[in-house]
Amino acid sequence: MKRVAAEIRSRLEEGLRLQDAVSNESDPLVIEAAQEGGLRAVVSYRRERDSKLREAKLKLVCAEGRPLACEVCTFDFAKTYGDRGRGYIEVHHVTPLHVSGVVQTRLEDLVLLCSNCHRMIHRSGWLRPEELKEMVQE
């Protein structure tokens, strides 16, 4: 481990970015296996969500005759996974709570997203659903 750490430090001193210094497919320093599964206690804070809002949003969409499908890419879990996917979709808050703090959330503040689009919205910042939709359509 000391040898690997010394090699990484040396690469950083040569001006390589951290990502390039620790990963290179042809490099023997690439990790091929690692021990996982140990327990670790974690203390964190998270913003409260009201699960009743999610259920209300799903009921509203169904009452309007719309499918429970991603509002960005139109993916429908039921069409792909049958009964296992029926009724499943993620519900995303358009305004991030870490920005707004405590706020009154309305159903129109929520959008339906598939897991992939939801992840892309949260990746490296915060995209609005319509911004991601433009990217998907390009």
Side-chain angles (χ1 to χ4, degrees), residues 67-77 79 114 117 133 136:
L68 293 182
C70 180
E71 295 183 39
V72 170
C73 73
T74 70
F75 182 83
D76 184 327
F77 284 90
K79 284 183 180 176
C114 71
C117 287
K133 191 171 190 169
V136 168

Side-chain angles (χ1 to χ4, degrees), residues 7-135:
E7 179 66 29
I8 291 171
R9 269 193 295 280
S10 170
R11 292 175 183 187
L12 291 171
E13 288 169 0
E14 292 173 13
L16 287 175
R17 295 178 323 164
L18 179 60
Q19 182 178 350
D20 296 331
V22 298
S23 66
N24 181 342
E25 289 185 17
S26 63
D27 193 315
L29 296 178
V30 173
I31 295 174
E32 294 182 14
Q35 185 173 349
E36 298 182 308
L39 294 177
R40 178 175 59 147
V42 177
V43 177
S44 65
Y45 294 97
R46 68 179 202 183
R47 298 281 179 185
E48 292 182 23
R49 299 285 191 192
D50 188 339
S51 60
K52 293 176 190 166
L53 277 172
R54 180 186 191 284
E55 294 306 316
K57 178 68 174 188
L58 298 181
K59 284 181 184 176
L60 175 66
V61 170
C62 289
E64 293 174 344
R66 295 189 291 142
L68 293 182
C70 180
E71 295 183 39
V72 170
C73 73
T74 70
F75 182 83
D76 184 327
F77 284 90
K79 284 183 180 176
T80 301
Y81 299 107
D83 285 339
R84 184 174 189 88
R86 196 166 324 289
Y88 182 79
I89 192 77
E90 296 186 11
V91 178
H92 170 73
H93 290 68
V94 176
T95 302
L97 291 180
H98 71 274
V99 171
S100 68
V102 177
V103 67
Q104 201 64 23
T105 302
R106 301 166 312 198
L107 295 182
E108 55 264 22
D109 298 328
L110 305 172
V111 294
L112 305 182
L113 296 176
C114 71
S115 308
N116 285 340
C117 287
H118 200 179
R119 188 73 174 184
M120 289 298 104
I121 278 180
H122 286 277
R123 185 172 192 238
S124 301
W126 191 285
L127 290 175
R128 292 187 323 273
E130 54 273 10
E131 290 175 305
L132 185 62
K133 191 171 190 169
E134 286 177 17
M135 294 169 75

